[in-house]
Amino acid sequence: MTVKHIKATAASVTVAAAMAGILAAPSAQAATSAPSAPAAAAAAECGVRAHDGRLWCGNSGSAPTRAEPFHESPITGLLQSTFSYFTCWSPGGLHGGGNTTWYRTVPDWSSDGREGYVPADWVFTPSWFDADPSRYGLRRC
């Protein structure tokens, strides 16, 4: 019984350490040009952080943000960083990622100072995450 308990505890510690690594918090701002080695490592990270409920993830630079989660919606800003946070998700128009998930964020440049939507194919989330971001802790907008 003691050996099982030790193995279970070791497995729990290993999982907790792995999750802590995934959800560790680098700075909010990321490089906007060619990433250095630390910036590239940060961009590879992706997950919802328990302390703020935001999705922190790598993303394509120069991503336009839109007023609503549809390609037909006006462009209101530009997400130039390659590692960003996203405050919530919303279903919207079908995009190049083959789904309808869009993430809302604060763009680096904005015409009106408000958050905007980016299609999931511009955010480096896996398809299983995009299928139900709420399941992983990101609130729906």
Side-chain angles (χ1 to χ4, degrees):
M1 190 76 145
T2 305
V3 173
K4 282 186 178 179
H5 180 70
I6 291 170
K7 286 182 180 179
T9 302
S12 296
V13 170
T14 302
V15 169
M19 290 304 293
I22 290 170
L23 302 177
S27 67
Q29 295 300 325
T32 57
S33 60
S36 64
E45 235 182 271
C46 193
V48 177
R49 296 185 182 164
H51 77 278
D52 63 7
R54 296 174 175 169
L55 168 64
W56 291 80
C57 199
N59 56 271
S60 298
S62 299
T65 59
R66 299 191 179 268
E68 299 296 327
F70 302 94
H71 284 295
E72 299 80 15
S73 182
I75 293 174
T76 59
L78 186 63
L79 186 60
Q80 296 173 306
S81 59
T82 57
F83 187 78
S84 306
Y85 70 84
F86 301 88
T87 57
C88 59
W89 73 277
S90 180
L94 184 65
H95 54 72
N99 63 58
T100 58
T101 301
W102 290 64
Y103 295 104
R104 192 168 72 189
T105 190
V106 176
D108 299 306
W109 172 88
S110 175
S111 62
D112 60 9
R114 296 185 329 191
E115 290 186 339
Y117 290 91
V118 176
D121 62 332
W122 286 72
V123 182
F124 302 151
T125 48
S127 59
W128 51 263
F129 185 93
D130 294 338
D132 186 6
S134 294
R135 181 177 182 185
Y136 305 98
L138 187 63
R139 72 179 179 88
R140 186 171 172 168
C141 300

mmCIF file of all heavy atoms in Angstrom, residues 55-102:
data_model
loop_
_atom_site.group_PDB
_atom_site.id
_atom_site.type_symbol
_atom_site.label_atom_id
_atom_site.label_comp_id
_atom_site.label_asym_id
_atom_site.label_seq_id
_atom_site.Cartn_x
_atom_site.Cartn_y
_atom_site.Cartn_z
ATOM 1 N N LEU A 55 -6.208 33.367 -21.433
ATOM 2 C CA LEU A 55 -5.418 32.477 -22.272
ATOM 3 C C LEU A 55 -4.170 33.248 -22.677
ATOM 4 O O LEU A 55 -4.262 34.328 -23.258
ATOM 5 C CB LEU A 55 -6.212 32.084 -23.518
ATOM 6 C CG LEU A 55 -5.430 31.379 -24.636
ATOM 7 C CD1 LEU A 55 -4.903 30.030 -24.158
ATOM 8 C CD2 LEU A 55 -6.320 31.223 -25.867
ATOM 9 N N TRP A 56 -3.010 32.717 -22.358
ATOM 10 C CA TRP A 56 -1.727 33.298 -22.764
ATOM 11 C C TRP A 56 -1.159 32.342 -23.799
ATOM 12 O O TRP A 56 -1.007 31.153 -23.530
ATOM 13 C CB TRP A 56 -0.788 33.418 -21.574
ATOM 14 C CG TRP A 56 -1.235 34.443 -20.586
ATOM 15 C CD1 TRP A 56 -2.202 34.298 -19.633
ATOM 16 C CD2 TRP A 56 -0.736 35.773 -20.452
ATOM 17 N NE1 TRP A 56 -2.336 35.454 -18.930
ATOM 18 C CE2 TRP A 56 -1.447 36.380 -19.398
ATOM 19 C CE3 TRP A 56 0.245 36.502 -21.128
ATOM 20 C CZ2 TRP A 56 -1.214 37.683 -19.007
ATOM 21 C CZ3 TRP A 56 0.473 37.809 -20.725
ATOM 22 C CH2 TRP A 56 -0.243 38.389 -19.683
ATOM 23 N N CYS A 57 -0.868 32.867 -24.995
ATOM 24 C CA CYS A 57 -0.486 31.957 -26.071
ATOM 25 C C CYS A 57 0.296 32.696 -27.155
ATOM 26 O O CYS A 57 0.124 33.913 -27.342
ATOM 27 C CB CYS A 57 -1.761 31.367 -26.675
ATOM 28 S SG CYS A 57 -1.517 29.859 -27.628
ATOM 29 N N GLY A 58 1.099 31.943 -27.875
ATOM 30 C CA GLY A 58 1.750 32.484 -29.057
ATOM 31 C C GLY A 58 0.717 32.733 -30.136
ATOM 32 O O GLY A 58 -0.341 32.102 -30.161
ATOM 33 N N ASN A 59 1.001 33.690 -30.999
ATOM 34 C CA ASN A 59 0.075 34.021 -32.082
ATOM 35 C C ASN A 59 0.854 34.587 -33.256
ATOM 36 O O ASN A 59 2.002 34.994 -33.111
ATOM 37 C CB ASN A 59 -0.986 35.031 -31.609
ATOM 38 C CG ASN A 59 -0.383 36.294 -31.032
ATOM 39 O OD1 ASN A 59 -0.107 36.346 -29.834
ATOM 40 N ND2 ASN A 59 -0.159 37.300 -31.850
ATOM 41 N N SER A 60 0.199 34.606 -34.404
ATOM 42 C CA SER A 60 0.800 35.210 -35.592
ATOM 43 C C SER A 60 0.901 36.715 -35.371
ATOM 44 O O SER A 60 -0.041 37.323 -34.868
ATOM 45 C CB SER A 60 -0.053 34.940 -36.825
ATOM 46 O OG SER A 60 -0.137 33.565 -37.067
ATOM 47 N N GLY A 61 2.023 37.298 -35.737
ATOM 48 C CA GLY A 61 2.176 38.742 -35.635
ATOM 49 C C GLY A 61 1.405 39.436 -36.751
ATOM 50 O O GLY A 61 1.045 38.813 -37.758
ATOM 51 N N SER A 62 1.121 40.685 -36.566
ATOM 52 C CA SER A 62 0.365 41.490 -37.538
ATOM 53 C C SER A 62 -1.024 40.913 -37.804
ATOM 54 O O SER A 62 -1.502 40.919 -38.933
ATOM 55 C CB SER A 62 1.144 41.654 -38.842
ATOM 56 O OG SER A 62 2.361 42.311 -38.591
ATOM 57 N N ALA A 63 -1.665 40.431 -36.747
ATOM 58 C CA ALA A 63 -3.026 39.896 -36.861
ATOM 59 C C ALA A 63 -4.030 41.029 -36.689
ATOM 60 O O ALA A 63 -3.994 41.730 -35.683
ATOM 61 C CB ALA A 63 -3.263 38.822 -35.801
ATOM 62 N N PRO A 64 -4.912 41.236 -37.656
ATOM 63 C CA PRO A 64 -5.926 42.271 -37.487
ATOM 64 C C PRO A 64 -6.959 41.844 -36.440
ATOM 65 O O PRO A 64 -7.314 40.673 -36.354
ATOM 66 C CB PRO A 64 -6.571 42.377 -38.866
ATOM 67 C CG PRO A 64 -6.297 41.074 -39.523
ATOM 68 C CD PRO A 64 -5.019 40.554 -38.940
ATOM 69 N N THR A 65 -7.392 42.792 -35.615
ATOM 70 C CA THR A 65 -8.485 42.521 -34.685
ATOM 71 C C THR A 65 -9.753 43.139 -35.265
ATOM 72 O O THR A 65 -9.703 44.164 -35.945
ATOM 73 C CB THR A 65 -8.203 43.080 -33.281
ATOM 74 O OG1 THR A 65 -8.006 44.493 -33.356
ATOM 75 C CG2 THR A 65 -6.976 42.427 -32.669
ATOM 76 N N ARG A 66 -10.859 42.493 -34.991
ATOM 77 C CA ARG A 66 -12.136 42.929 -35.573
ATOM 78 C C ARG A 66 -13.129 43.269 -34.470
ATOM 79 O O ARG A 66 -13.050 42.745 -33.365
ATOM 80 C CB ARG A 66 -12.685 41.840 -36.471
ATOM 81 C CG ARG A 66 -11.705 41.562 -37.630
ATOM 82 C CD ARG A 66 -12.310 40.688 -38.694
ATOM 83 N NE ARG A 66 -11.372 40.467 -39.773
ATOM 84 C CZ ARG A 66 -11.283 41.212 -40.866
ATOM 85 N NH1 ARG A 66 -12.075 42.249 -41.040
ATOM 86 N NH2 ARG A 66 -10.394 40.930 -41.808
ATOM 87 N N ALA A 67 -14.074 44.148 -34.797
ATOM 88 C CA ALA A 67 -15.084 44.590 -33.832
ATOM 89 C C ALA A 67 -15.951 43.434 -33.355
ATOM 90 O O ALA A 67 -16.331 43.369 -32.188
ATOM 91 C CB ALA A 67 -15.953 45.681 -34.449
ATOM 92 N N GLU A 68 -16.266 42.510 -34.225
ATOM 93 C CA GLU A 68 -17.079 41.330 -33.924
ATOM 94 C C GLU A 68 -16.354 40.093 -34.464
ATOM 95 O O GLU A 68 -15.470 40.222 -35.307
ATOM 96 C CB GLU A 68 -18.463 41.455 -34.575
ATOM 97 C CG GLU A 68 -19.270 42.649 -34.094
ATOM 98 C CD GLU A 68 -19.623 42.581 -32.612
ATOM 99 O OE1 GLU A 68 -19.834 41.466 -32.095
ATOM 100 O OE2 GLU A 68 -19.691 43.652 -31.976
ATOM 101 N N PRO A 69 -16.717 38.901 -34.006
ATOM 102 C CA PRO A 69 -15.994 37.694 -34.423
ATOM 103 C C PRO A 69 -16.380 37.167 -35.813
ATOM 104 O O PRO A 69 -16.814 36.022 -35.961
ATOM 105 C CB PRO A 69 -16.333 36.692 -33.313
ATOM 106 C CG PRO A 69 -17.671 37.112 -32.830
ATOM 107 C CD PRO A 69 -17.689 38.617 -32.946
ATOM 108 N N PHE A 70 -16.211 38.009 -36.808
ATOM 109 C CA PHE A 70 -16.500 37.648 -38.196
ATOM 110 C C PHE A 70 -15.515 38.366 -39.107
ATOM 111 O O PHE A 70 -15.165 39.522 -38.846
ATOM 112 C CB PHE A 70 -17.928 38.070 -38.595
ATOM 113 C CG PHE A 70 -18.987 37.468 -37.732
ATOM 114 C CD1 PHE A 70 -19.485 38.152 -36.634
ATOM 115 C CD2 PHE A 70 -19.487 36.203 -38.009
ATOM 116 C CE1 PHE A 70 -20.453 37.589 -35.819
ATOM 117 C CE2 PHE A 70 -20.456 35.639 -37.194
ATOM 118 C CZ PHE A 70 -20.943 36.330 -36.101
ATOM 119 N N HIS A 71 -15.097 37.729 -40.184
ATOM 120 C CA HIS A 71 -14.188 38.374 -41.132
ATOM 121 C C HIS A 71 -14.809 39.604 -41.781
ATOM 122 O O HIS A 71 -14.099 40.517 -42.201
ATOM 123 C CB HIS A 71 -13.723 37.388 -42.215
ATOM 124 C CG HIS A 71 -12.684 36.436 -41.724
ATOM 125 N ND1 HIS A 71 -11.430 36.830 -41.328
ATOM 126 C CD2 HIS A 71 -12.721 35.086 -41.547
ATOM 127 C CE1 HIS A 71 -10.731 35.781 -40.938
ATOM 128 N NE2 HIS A 71 -11.491 34.713 -41.056
ATOM 129 N N GLU A 72 -16.139 39.650 -41.856
ATOM 130 C CA GLU A 72 -16.820 40.779 -42.481
ATOM 131 C C GLU A 72 -16.881 41.994 -41.558
ATOM 132 O O GLU A 72 -17.208 43.094 -41.998
ATOM 133 C CB GLU A 72 -18.255 40.376 -42.876
ATOM 134 C CG GLU A 72 -18.331 39.234 -43.869
ATOM 135 C CD GLU A 72 -18.146 37.843 -43.223
ATOM 136 O OE1 GLU A 72 -18.229 37.711 -41.983
ATOM 137 O OE2 GLU A 72 -17.895 36.899 -43.980
ATOM 138 N N SER A 73 -16.567 41.819 -40.292
ATOM 139 C CA SER A 73 -16.604 42.903 -39.308
ATOM 140 C C SER A 73 -15.431 43.863 -39.545
ATOM 141 O O SER A 73 -14.351 43.445 -39.972
ATOM 142 C CB SER A 73 -16.514 42.297 -37.908
ATOM 143 O OG SER A 73 -16.583 43.294 -36.925
ATOM 144 N N PRO A 74 -15.608 45.146 -39.269
ATOM 145 C CA PRO A 74 -14.526 46.111 -39.490
ATOM 146 C C PRO A 74 -13.274 45.808 -38.662
ATOM 147 O O PRO A 74 -13.376 45.366 -37.520
ATOM 148 C CB PRO A 74 -15.132 47.442 -39.037
ATOM 149 C CG PRO A 74 -16.596 47.229 -38.969
ATOM 150 C CD PRO A 74 -16.826 45.769 -38.763
ATOM 151 N N ILE A 75 -12.124 46.048 -39.265
ATOM 152 C CA ILE A 75 -10.848 45.934 -38.552
ATOM 153 C C ILE A 75 -10.727 47.151 -37.650
ATOM 154 O O ILE A 75 -10.867 48.286 -38.100
ATOM 155 C CB ILE A 75 -9.667 45.858 -39.538
ATOM 156 C CG1 ILE A 75 -9.738 44.556 -40.328
ATOM 157 C CG2 ILE A 75 -8.336 45.971 -38.791
ATOM 158 C CD1 ILE A 75 -8.711 44.435 -41.436
ATOM 159 N N THR A 76 -10.482 46.904 -36.368
ATOM 160 C CA THR A 76 -10.382 47.997 -35.400
ATOM 161 C C THR A 76 -9.000 48.113 -34.771
ATOM 162 O O THR A 76 -8.741 49.048 -34.031
ATOM 163 C CB THR A 76 -11.408 47.813 -34.270
ATOM 164 O OG1 THR A 76 -11.161 46.562 -33.628
ATOM 165 C CG2 THR A 76 -12.826 47.844 -34.816
ATOM 166 N N GLY A 77 -8.136 47.154 -35.050
ATOM 167 C CA GLY A 77 -6.817 47.196 -34.431
ATOM 168 C C GLY A 77 -5.872 46.195 -35.060
ATOM 169 O O GLY A 77 -6.214 45.497 -36.016
ATOM 170 N N LEU A 78 -4.672 46.135 -34.474
ATOM 171 C CA LEU A 78 -3.640 45.239 -34.974
ATOM 172 C C LEU A 78 -2.887 44.647 -33.796
ATOM 173 O O LEU A 78 -2.396 45.372 -32.925
ATOM 174 C CB LEU A 78 -2.680 46.004 -35.884
ATOM 175 C CG LEU A 78 -1.618 45.189 -36.596
ATOM 176 C CD1 LEU A 78 -2.251 44.175 -37.555
ATOM 177 C CD2 LEU A 78 -0.695 46.113 -37.372
ATOM 178 N N LEU A 79 -2.821 43.333 -33.759
ATOM 179 C CA LEU A 79 -2.067 42.600 -32.743
ATOM 180 C C LEU A 79 -0.701 42.308 -33.338
ATOM 181 O O LEU A 79 -0.558 41.429 -34.183
ATOM 182 C CB LEU A 79 -2.808 41.308 -32.387
ATOM 183 C CG LEU A 79 -2.249 40.477 -31.256
ATOM 184 C CD1 LEU A 79 -2.216 41.265 -29.960
ATOM 185 C CD2 LEU A 79 -3.087 39.221 -31.089
ATOM 186 N N GLN A 80 0.298 43.080 -32.939
ATOM 187 C CA GLN A 80 1.634 42.949 -33.517
ATOM 188 C C GLN A 80 2.533 42.005 -32.732
ATOM 189 O O GLN A 80 3.478 41.460 -33.281
ATOM 190 C CB GLN A 80 2.290 44.326 -33.620
ATOM 191 C CG GLN A 80 1.545 45.235 -34.579
ATOM 192 C CD GLN A 80 2.081 46.643 -34.569
ATOM 193 O OE1 GLN A 80 2.175 47.275 -33.521
ATOM 194 N NE2 GLN A 80 2.432 47.132 -35.743
ATOM 195 N N SER A 81 2.270 41.826 -31.445
ATOM 196 C CA SER A 81 3.101 40.937 -30.630
ATOM 197 C C SER A 81 2.886 39.487 -31.053
ATOM 198 O O SER A 81 1.881 39.154 -31.675
ATOM 199 C CB SER A 81 2.759 41.119 -29.149
ATOM 200 O OG SER A 81 1.398 40.837 -28.927
ATOM 201 N N THR A 82 3.824 38.634 -30.713
ATOM 202 C CA THR A 82 3.722 37.221 -31.078
ATOM 203 C C THR A 82 3.481 36.329 -29.868
ATOM 204 O O THR A 82 3.510 35.108 -29.978
ATOM 205 C CB THR A 82 4.988 36.762 -31.823
ATOM 206 O OG1 THR A 82 6.123 37.022 -30.998
ATOM 207 C CG2 THR A 82 5.116 37.476 -33.158
ATOM 208 N N PHE A 83 3.238 36.923 -28.721
ATOM 209 C CA PHE A 83 2.809 36.217 -27.510
ATOM 210 C C PHE A 83 1.870 37.163 -26.794
ATOM 211 O O PHE A 83 2.265 38.263 -26.416
ATOM 212 C CB PHE A 83 3.998 35.840 -26.623
ATOM 213 C CG PHE A 83 3.582 34.977 -25.456
ATOM 214 C CD1 PHE A 83 3.320 33.629 -25.626
ATOM 215 C CD2 PHE A 83 3.455 35.516 -24.193
ATOM 216 C CE1 PHE A 83 2.930 32.831 -24.561
ATOM 217 C CE2 PHE A 83 3.076 34.725 -23.119
ATOM 218 C CZ PHE A 83 2.815 33.384 -23.297
ATOM 219 N N SER A 84 0.610 36.778 -26.656
ATOM 220 C CA SER A 84 -0.410 37.694 -26.158
ATOM 221 C C SER A 84 -1.341 36.996 -25.186
ATOM 222 O O SER A 84 -1.333 35.778 -25.064
ATOM 223 C CB SER A 84 -1.251 38.218 -27.337
ATOM 224 O OG SER A 84 -0.435 38.770 -28.330
ATOM 225 N N TYR A 85 -2.170 37.800 -24.529
ATOM 226 C CA TYR A 85 -3.224 37.210 -23.719
ATOM 227 C C TYR A 85 -4.568 37.471 -24.388
ATOM 228 O O TYR A 85 -4.747 38.441 -25.118
ATOM 229 C CB TYR A 85 -3.206 37.733 -22.275
ATOM 230 C CG TYR A 85 -3.614 39.172 -22.103
ATOM 231 C CD1 TYR A 85 -4.965 39.527 -22.014
ATOM 232 C CD2 TYR A 85 -2.662 40.171 -21.980
ATOM 233 C CE1 TYR A 85 -5.347 40.844 -21.838
ATOM 234 C CE2 TYR A 85 -3.042 41.485 -21.803
ATOM 235 C CZ TYR A 85 -4.390 41.813 -21.723
ATOM 236 O OH TYR A 85 -4.769 43.113 -21.550
ATOM 237 N N PHE A 86 -5.497 36.563 -24.125
ATOM 238 C CA PHE A 86 -6.831 36.632 -24.695
ATOM 239 C C PHE A 86 -7.812 36.521 -23.539
ATOM 240 O O PHE A 86 -7.687 35.623 -22.701
ATOM 241 C CB PHE A 86 -7.024 35.523 -25.732
ATOM 242 C CG PHE A 86 -6.002 35.624 -26.842
ATOM 243 C CD1 PHE A 86 -4.766 35.007 -26.724
ATOM 244 C CD2 PHE A 86 -6.258 36.390 -27.966
ATOM 245 C CE1 PHE A 86 -3.796 35.137 -27.718
ATOM 246 C CE2 PHE A 86 -5.301 36.528 -28.963
ATOM 247 C CZ PHE A 86 -4.073 35.905 -28.837
ATOM 248 N N THR A 87 -8.749 37.462 -23.458
ATOM 249 C CA THR A 87 -9.621 37.566 -22.291
ATOM 250 C C THR A 87 -10.800 36.607 -22.311
ATOM 251 O O THR A 87 -11.313 36.237 -21.260
ATOM 252 C CB THR A 87 -10.149 38.999 -22.143
ATOM 253 O OG1 THR A 87 -10.830 39.376 -23.346
ATOM 254 C CG2 THR A 87 -8.996 39.965 -21.882
ATOM 255 N N CYS A 88 -11.251 36.228 -23.496
ATOM 256 C CA CYS A 88 -12.396 35.329 -23.611
ATOM 257 C C CYS A 88 -12.487 34.815 -25.046
ATOM 258 O O CYS A 88 -11.693 35.202 -25.900
ATOM 259 C CB CYS A 88 -13.693 36.035 -23.215
ATOM 260 S SG CYS A 88 -14.093 37.501 -24.191
ATOM 261 N N TRP A 89 -13.460 33.959 -25.304
ATOM 262 C CA TRP A 89 -13.658 33.407 -26.644
ATOM 263 C C TRP A 89 -15.132 33.563 -27.028
ATOM 264 O O TRP A 89 -15.996 33.731 -26.167
ATOM 265 C CB TRP A 89 -13.245 31.943 -26.718
ATOM 266 C CG TRP A 89 -14.201 31.012 -26.028
ATOM 267 C CD1 TRP A 89 -14.249 30.715 -24.691
ATOM 268 C CD2 TRP A 89 -15.271 30.287 -26.632
ATOM 269 N NE1 TRP A 89 -15.274 29.848 -24.431
ATOM 270 C CE2 TRP A 89 -15.925 29.568 -25.601
ATOM 271 C CE3 TRP A 89 -15.747 30.168 -27.926
ATOM 272 C CZ2 TRP A 89 -17.017 28.746 -25.837
ATOM 273 C CZ3 TRP A 89 -16.838 29.348 -28.165
ATOM 274 C CH2 TRP A 89 -17.455 28.645 -27.135
ATOM 275 N N SER A 90 -15.378 33.509 -28.314
ATOM 276 C CA SER A 90 -16.741 33.619 -28.810
ATOM 277 C C SER A 90 -16.879 32.811 -30.094
ATOM 278 O O SER A 90 -15.945 32.756 -30.890
ATOM 279 C CB SER A 90 -17.069 35.084 -29.103
ATOM 280 O OG SER A 90 -18.384 35.224 -29.581
ATOM 281 N N PRO A 91 -18.045 32.197 -30.311
ATOM 282 C CA PRO A 91 -18.276 31.603 -31.626
ATOM 283 C C PRO A 91 -18.510 32.724 -32.630
ATOM 284 O O PRO A 91 -19.020 33.785 -32.275
ATOM 285 C CB PRO A 91 -19.542 30.755 -31.424
ATOM 286 C CG PRO A 91 -20.235 31.371 -30.259
ATOM 287 C CD PRO A 91 -19.172 31.988 -29.398
ATOM 288 N N GLY A 92 -18.107 32.503 -33.852
ATOM 289 C CA GLY A 92 -18.270 33.524 -34.879
ATOM 290 C C GLY A 92 -18.241 32.900 -36.252
ATOM 291 O O GLY A 92 -18.691 31.771 -36.447
ATOM 292 N N GLY A 93 -17.648 33.623 -37.179
ATOM 293 C CA GLY A 93 -17.580 33.138 -38.551
ATOM 294 C C GLY A 93 -16.528 32.051 -38.729
ATOM 295 O O GLY A 93 -15.522 31.998 -38.024
ATOM 296 N N LEU A 94 -16.775 31.194 -39.708
ATOM 297 C CA LEU A 94 -15.821 30.143 -40.069
ATOM 298 C C LEU A 94 -14.541 30.797 -40.584
ATOM 299 O O LEU A 94 -14.588 31.781 -41.320
ATOM 300 C CB LEU A 94 -16.423 29.246 -41.153
ATOM 301 C CG LEU A 94 -15.599 28.045 -41.590
ATOM 302 C CD1 LEU A 94 -15.437 27.047 -40.436
ATOM 303 C CD2 LEU A 94 -16.264 27.355 -42.775
ATOM 304 N N HIS A 95 -13.403 30.267 -40.172
ATOM 305 C CA HIS A 95 -12.108 30.823 -40.599
ATOM 306 C C HIS A 95 -11.199 29.702 -41.095
ATOM 307 O O HIS A 95 -11.600 28.541 -41.140
ATOM 308 C CB HIS A 95 -11.456 31.625 -39.464
ATOM 309 C CG HIS A 95 -11.312 30.847 -38.198
ATOM 310 N ND1 HIS A 95 -10.409 29.827 -38.038
ATOM 311 C CD2 HIS A 95 -12.004 30.921 -37.034
ATOM 312 C CE1 HIS A 95 -10.514 29.328 -36.820
ATOM 313 N NE2 HIS A 95 -11.480 29.967 -36.192
ATOM 314 N N GLY A 96 -9.985 30.045 -41.450
ATOM 315 C CA GLY A 96 -9.028 29.106 -42.034
ATOM 316 C C GLY A 96 -8.667 27.925 -41.163
ATOM 317 O O GLY A 96 -8.129 26.932 -41.651
ATOM 318 N N GLY A 97 -8.928 27.999 -39.872
ATOM 319 C CA GLY A 97 -8.647 26.879 -38.974
ATOM 320 C C GLY A 97 -9.710 25.795 -39.023
ATOM 321 O O GLY A 97 -9.591 24.776 -38.356
ATOM 322 N N GLY A 98 -10.767 26.041 -39.805
ATOM 323 C CA GLY A 98 -11.817 25.043 -39.953
ATOM 324 C C GLY A 98 -12.816 25.019 -38.814
ATOM 325 O O GLY A 98 -13.592 24.073 -38.688
ATOM 326 N N ASN A 99 -12.816 26.046 -37.963
ATOM 327 C CA ASN A 99 -13.808 26.118 -36.891
ATOM 328 C C ASN A 99 -14.337 27.546 -36.789
ATOM 329 O O ASN A 99 -13.988 28.400 -37.610
ATOM 330 C CB ASN A 99 -13.219 25.615 -35.558
ATOM 331 C CG ASN A 99 -12.068 26.478 -35.065
ATOM 332 O OD1 ASN A 99 -12.209 27.669 -34.859
ATOM 333 N ND2 ASN A 99 -10.908 25.858 -34.872
ATOM 334 N N THR A 100 -15.153 27.817 -35.795
ATOM 335 C CA THR A 100 -15.769 29.137 -35.648
ATOM 336 C C THR A 100 -15.372 29.824 -34.347
ATOM 337 O O THR A 100 -16.046 30.740 -33.885
ATOM 338 C CB THR A 100 -17.304 29.024 -35.714
ATOM 339 O OG1 THR A 100 -17.748 28.144 -34.677
ATOM 340 C CG2 THR A 100 -17.761 28.506 -37.073
ATOM 341 N N THR A 101 -14.273 29.398 -33.721
ATOM 342 C CA THR A 101 -13.809 29.980 -32.466
ATOM 343 C C THR A 101 -12.963 31.217 -32.732
ATOM 344 O O THR A 101 -12.038 31.184 -33.550
ATOM 345 C CB THR A 101 -12.999 28.946 -31.661
ATOM 346 O OG1 THR A 101 -13.837 27.816 -31.404
ATOM 347 C CG2 THR A 101 -12.502 29.527 -30.350
ATOM 348 N N TRP A 102 -13.285 32.301 -32.016
ATOM 349 C CA TRP A 102 -12.543 33.557 -32.086
ATOM 350 C C TRP A 102 -12.162 33.957 -30.670
ATOM 351 O O TRP A 102 -12.913 33.706 -29.725
ATOM 352 C CB TRP A 102 -13.398 34.662 -32.704
ATOM 353 C CG TRP A 102 -13.665 34.484 -34.164
ATOM 354 C CD1 TRP A 102 -14.361 33.469 -34.761
ATOM 355 C CD2 TRP A 102 -13.243 35.341 -35.222
ATOM 356 N NE1 TRP A 102 -14.394 33.642 -36.120
ATOM 357 C CE2 TRP A 102 -13.725 34.798 -36.431
ATOM 358 C CE3 TRP A 102 -12.518 36.528 -35.269
ATOM 359 C CZ2 TRP A 102 -13.495 35.381 -37.661
ATOM 360 C CZ3 TRP A 102 -12.295 37.132 -36.497
ATOM 361 C CH2 TRP A 102 -12.778 36.553 -37.679
#
